Amino acid sequence: MSIAIVAITRKGVKLGRQLNGFLPASHLYLPAKFASGQIPGEHSFQHPVKEVVGKAFLEYESLVLIMAAGIAVRSIATKLRSKHQDPAVVVLDEAGKFAVSLLSGHRGGANALATTVAFHIGAQPVVTTASEVSGTIAVDLLGREFGWELESEANVTKVSAAMVNGDNVGLYQDAGERHWWTGPLPENIGKFSSLEDLGDSACPAALIITDRLLGQEHQALLDRAVRYHPKSLVIGIGCNRGVTCSKIEETVTQVLLEHGLSAKSIRNIATIDLKRDEQGLLEFARKHNLSIEFFESKALRQKECPSEPSDAALKAVGTTGVCEPAALLSSGATDLVVPKTKRGDVTIAIARVHFGEAASRGKLFLVGIGPGDPGQMTFKAREVLLLSDVVVGYKTYVEQIKQFLSQKEIVSGGMGGEVERMKRAISLAEEGKTVAVVCGGDAGIYGMAGLVGEIVHEQGCSTSFDMEVIPGVLSLAAVAALLGAPLTHDFASISLSDYLTPWTEIARRLELAAQGDFVLVIYNPKSKQRPHQLAAAMEIVLRYRPASTLVGIVNNAYRQGQKITLTDLEHMLNFDIDMSTTIIIGNSTTFTFGRWMVTPRGYGAKYNLGSEI
Ligand code: SAH
C-alpha cells in the first residue's frame, strides 16, 4: 500500500519522520525549508500545499495529512470522486493527539490507517463511520480479512442502512470461517439455521454467508440480502499431459455451476506433484490468482476415497486417484461436495474446507440474571446471553429475559426438573455448544452453579468444555436496597426450605445466628407444601430477640407485584409471604426512619454524625 505523509510545520515534519519510519511504503512530503539534504523516502516541496496534497490524492492509495482538518478538506475538495476510487485520508494534528479518519473509512481503509497511525504515535484514533461507532457490523467489510467476496454490491447500501438503524437483520451461514465476529453479535442480528426460515422471517435485511449459488426460489430473500462467498472450496484436479488452460477453465466453471457452487469461493487447487510443470494448469491458476497445493503420489495413494480406484492412474502416476485425494488432503475435509467428475482430459473433485468446528470447545455459563427487572441485569450477563447458542433455565427466569432470547434454542421447565436440566446443559456443552444456564439473582447463591459442580464432581471432574459463573444481583442485595440499609453489618442468610436440608439443621443454624446477633436474611420462607417453617423460625428467633425487633419483607423485588413491608417480629406472620418473598430480620441495633430500615455499622459511636461539616 502506498502512503503519502504530508507535513507543513516544523513539529509536523518531526512527527511525519517518525511515522515514515513506522509505515513501510510511505513517502514524506515536507516544505523545502525543513528538508535536510537527500533522505530516502523524503520529498521536499516549494509549491502551495494544496497542489502537493491534490497531486498525492490522485497518485497514492492513502494520505496522512499532518495539518488542520480545514486545510486538508480545502486541499482535497475539488479532487473527490467516489468512495470506490478515493484514497484513504487520515488527518493528524501536529502534536500527534488525534488521528482522524476523514475519507474512505471502510473501503479505502482510512479507519484502519487512523488506528495504525494512532497506535504508533500514541494518538487517539477518531473514527466516525456509523457501524464502528455503534458497534454494528460493517456490511461492506464483513469477512474481508479472510478473503470473503461479495456476490454483488447490489444490496450493500440497503442492508448497511438496516444494520446501522437497528432493524432486524437475519444471518445465515453454511460455509467459511465461523469466528468472524468477536464478542456478542449486535442485538438486531438474529441467526437462522436455514434459508427457508430466513426467507419466511420478517427481517427486512439479511446477511448470507455461503459458497453456494442461490437460485430463483430464493429470489425474494436475495432482493434484501448481501451474499458473501468465503474461501471454502478446494478443487482437486487431475489432467492429461498438455491440457489447455481453457479446457480446465471450462470444466471447473461447468462443474461448479452444475452443483450450484460459486467460483468466488475457490480457496485453492490441489493436485499431484508431477503436475508442477503442467503449463495449462499453471496458467489457469495464475489467471484466477489461485494457489496450487501439490501432493506426492504416496500421500494421495494412502488417502481413502469414495470413487472406484483407477488402475490406469496407478500405472501412470503411482496412485489410484488424484483429484479426490488431493481435494480431501488439501481441505482437511472427510467427504467430498463433488465426487470425481471427468470431462475429456480433465478430472475434478471438490471438497469443502472445515474451519476448525471440531476444535470449537463448548462453554457452560452460569448466569445470574438478577431479581427480574432487565435494568438490574449486568452488562456481562447480557453479553453472555447474546453469545450463547442455548439458554437453559427454570421457566419463570426464561420468561423474565425473553427479550434477549430471540433465535436461541431454549431448554426450560418447571420446579423439580433442575437435575435433568443441568445434565442436559452439560451434555449440550459437551457437544461444543455455548450454553447459558440462567438463574434468578446470582447463580452461585442457592442456584444452579453448585448443582453443576456436584454433577461434574460425581462424573469424575473432567469436562470437555469450560465453565464460568457470571455474577448477578442477588435477591438479598435487591431486597436490602429496597428496604434501605439493613445489611450494613454482619448478617447470616438462611433458607427455610427443608426439601434438601433437614429441618433440624436449619433450626440449629437459625438458633446460632439469632444468638450471635446477626441480621438474618430468610430465603424460601414459605410455600404451599411448607406452610409452617416460618412460624417455627420466628419462635426460635424470639428466644434471643425482643418481639419489637424490626423485620423487612419484600415480595417480588424489581418485578411485577413488588411489595415492601416494614414490621416487627411479633407481627411478621400477618403479611403475605410466599416463595417470591425474602425477609430481613434486624439485629439488636437495627432502627427505622421513614421507609428506611438501617443496621448501623458503628460510625455513630466514633463520630459526631449530627454536627454540620
Ligand atoms: N439465586 C437467588 C436465590 C434463589 S432461591 C439469589 O441469588 O438471590 C429462591 C428464593 O430467592 C425465593 O424463594 C425468594 O426467597 C428469593 N427471591 C428470588 N427472587 C426474588 C425477588 N425478586 N424478590 C424477593 N425475593 C426473591
Side-chain angles (χ1 to χ4, degrees), residues 431-448:
E431 284 171 25
K433 294 202 164 140
T434 302
V435 183
V437 169
V438 293
C439 290
D442 180 90
I445 312 288
Y446 306 117
M448 293 298 111

Side-chain angles (χ1 to χ4, degrees), residues 264-500:
K264 289 186 170 175
S265 277
I266 303 177
R267 188 189 72 174
N268 65 288
I269 302 165
T271 188
I272 187 165
D273 62 357
L274 290 171
K275 297 287 166 193
R276 280 185 195 276
D277 59 354
E278 188 66 59
Q279 290 313 311
L281 186 64
L282 298 180
E283 192 186 329
F284 172 72
R286 242 189 337 265
K287 184 169 170 194
H288 297 277
N289 200 17
L290 294 168
S291 62
I292 311 181
E293 191 170 0
F294 296 99
F295 293 94
E296 289 179 5
S297 57
K298 188 171 161 220
L300 297 174
R301 199 168 55 231
Q302 284 167 355
K303 186 81 194 162
E304 253 185 63
C305 292
S307 291
E308 219 24 46
S310 149
D311 289 337
L314 184 62
K315 247 187 232 148
V317 292
T319 163
T320 51
V322 171
C323 65
E324 288 194 347
L328 288 171
L329 285 171
S330 176
S331 64
T334 45
D335 44 19
L336 294 160
V337 184
V338 179
K340 176 172 151 185
T341 308
K342 190 164 168 53
R343 297 283 151 86
D345 285 341
V346 184
T347 319
I348 74 171
I350 304 176
R352 182 172 281 132
V353 180
H354 277 264
F355 289 91
E357 275 140 306
S360 98
R361 208 169 145 78
K363 177 106 194 192
L364 183 62
F365 288 110
L366 290 135
V367 188
I369 59 168
D373 181 294
Q376 303 290 344
M377 195 163 138
T378 64
F379 283 106
K380 186 69 190 176
R382 288 168 190 231
E383 187 184 305
V384 163
L385 288 179
L386 287 169
L387 265 181
S388 301
D389 305 310
V390 192
V391 173
V392 181
Y394 175 49
K395 58 182 189 303
T396 314
Y397 297 143
V398 170
E399 179 64 19
Q400 271 169 21
I401 51 165
K402 62 173 186 289
Q403 69 264 50
F404 301 107
L405 306 184
S406 59
Q407 317 301 336
K408 305 276 173 204
E409 187 180 336
I410 310 274
V411 177
S412 77
M415 201 79 102
E418 296 91 357
V419 174
E420 280 318 302
R421 270 202 298 280
M422 290 313 107
K423 285 187 174 167
R424 176 105 174 88
I426 289 170
S427 76
L428 286 163
E430 277 166 350
E431 284 171 25
K433 294 202 164 140
T434 302
V435 183
V437 169
V438 293
C439 290
D442 180 90
I445 312 288
Y446 306 117
M448 293 298 111
L451 173 54
V452 167
E454 284 184 69
I455 296 173
V456 170
H457 184 247
E458 275 300 308
Q459 293 180 350
C461 302
S462 115
T463 59
S464 58
F465 56 89
D466 300 317
M467 293 197 282
E468 188 177 344
V469 179
I470 307 297
V473 173
L474 47 152
S475 312
L476 70 80
V479 164
L482 291 170
L483 288 167
L487 302 182
T488 311
H489 217 305
D490 301 335
F491 64 92
S493 149
I494 295 172
S495 163
L496 296 195
S497 170
D498 59 358
Y499 179 55
L500 301 169

Side-chain angles (χ1 to χ4, degrees), residues 370-372 397 400 439-447 472-476 478-479 522-525 554-559 578-583:
Y397 297 143
Q400 271 169 21
C439 290
D442 180 90
I445 312 288
Y446 306 117
V473 173
L474 47 152
S475 312
L476 70 80
V479 164
I522 307 293
Y523 269 94
N524 300 309
V554 179
N555 300 312
N556 291 306
Y558 295 98
R559 61 187 188 210
D578 58 20
M579 284 299 276
S580 318
T581 313
T582 300
I583 301 173

